[in-house]
Amino acid sequence: MELLNTNSRVKFLLISLLLWSKLSFSQGEDLFNSLRQETVKDESLIPNRMIFTQRALWGNKGLLRKFGIFPLNVEQREKELKLRRSMLKIHQIIGYLTLAGMVTQGFLGGKLYNNWERGLYKTHKTVGNLTSISYFTGAGLSLFAPPPLINKKTKGLSSIKAHKYLASVHFSAMLSTNIFKNKNQQIHKISAYTAVGSFAAAVLVFNFK
């Protein structure tokens, strides 16, 4: 009966989070619309400032350039910017789903620490695996998306900078959560809560500025 009540609460929590994410997605500022501020017309085809993953793939000497898969020219860069937009939009949608999974994991994890149940453990493990998959898929879309035309360096703290700083925190926390899940429960727990908090903050900075 307790497991049944837990599953009902989880379903209610998931539905509430999905409805909230849909509302935020339609009314809040779109992630791509924020990041597109970095993309303005410039004489150069690729920016001087890129993250290492973008430089490794999309830079002048990147793998995709060397093998001729994506030659560096105006026509190709127009296609890359469209691809960038699509990847960032999917990244945003996956982010909301990942947040729902993280919150559900926190709820299940808290109950599991207080009252170990085999059925609850299986649910916790399944939701955890799905959340990890969605998280790292979303992270990959952001890290490997084509770069904008120009990456402007702005003064002060902006929502974009805050999002990137928080990304460093929750990415490290997610790695730690997965590494220690079968090695050290205390580190796993602390890492998981750190990941949830920093990831939720990274999502909220674009919706409540």
Side-chain angles (χ1 to χ4, degrees):
M1 181 62 70
E2 179 65 23
L3 181 58
L4 182 61
N5 291 334
T6 298
N7 288 334
S8 298
R9 292 171 186 171
V10 170
K11 289 179 181 178
F12 175 77
L13 183 61
L14 280 172
I15 293 172
S16 299
L17 282 169
L18 288 173
L19 288 174
W20 171 83
S21 66
K22 183 177 180 181
L23 180 63
S24 298
F25 185 81
S26 60
Q27 295 183 343
E29 181 180 12
D30 183 85
L31 175 61
F32 177 77
N33 288 334
S34 295
L35 294 178
R36 73 183 300 180
Q37 294 175 4
E38 302 175 353
T39 307
V40 296
K41 290 186 177 180
D42 190 70
E43 294 180 358
S44 60
L45 292 176
I46 56 175
N48 292 324
R49 298 173 63 247
M50 288 185 284
I51 58 177
F52 70 97
T53 48
Q54 288 178 334
R55 190 172 298 280
L57 290 180
W58 305 98
N60 280 316
K61 298 181 181 180
L63 293 176
L64 297 177
R65 311 297 186 198
K66 284 185 176 180
F67 290 102
I69 301 174
F70 290 93
L72 187 57
N73 55 54
V74 174
E75 182 181 354
Q76 181 58 46
R77 282 297 283 144
E78 289 177 354
K79 294 178 181 178
E80 289 174 15
L81 292 176
K82 290 180 181 179
L83 176 62
R84 172 182 170 82
R85 175 168 185 161
S86 298
M87 291 178 72
L88 292 179
K89 281 186 175 293
I90 297 172
H91 165 77
Q92 183 183 17
I93 294 170
I94 291 178
Y96 288 128
L97 295 175
T98 301
L99 179 59
M102 284 182 169
V103 174
T104 303
Q105 271 295 82
F107 175 76
L108 292 173
K111 291 189 69 65
L112 189 61
Y113 279 114
N114 295 326
N115 184 22
W116 195 94
E117 294 180 19
R118 185 172 181 81
L120 188 60
Y121 171 77
K122 288 183 177 180
T123 303
H124 177 72
K125 184 176 181 180
T126 300
V127 174
N129 290 335
L130 292 174
T131 301
S132 293
I133 291 172
S134 66
Y135 174 84
F136 288 109
T137 298
L141 288 169
S142 176
L143 290 172
F144 297 105
L149 285 178
I150 186 171
N151 197 349
K152 295 189 299 182
K153 190 173 184 179
T154 57
K155 295 181 180 180
L157 182 65
S158 64
S159 59
I160 296 173
K161 283 186 178 181
H163 185 80
K164 291 179 178 178
Y165 294 152
L166 288 166
S168 299
V169 177
H170 61 67
F171 188 84
S172 301
M174 278 297 291
L175 288 176
S176 178
T177 299
N178 282 274
I179 291 172
F180 291 100
K181 63 182 179 181
N182 295 320
K183 296 180 180 180
N184 189 309
Q185 286 190 353
Q186 189 61 27
I187 296 178
H188 170 74
K189 182 179 180 180
I190 294 173
S191 299
Y193 283 122
T194 301
V196 174
S198 55
F199 190 84
V203 172
L204 291 175
V205 292
F206 281 105
N207 294 291
F208 301 97
K209 297 195 298 181

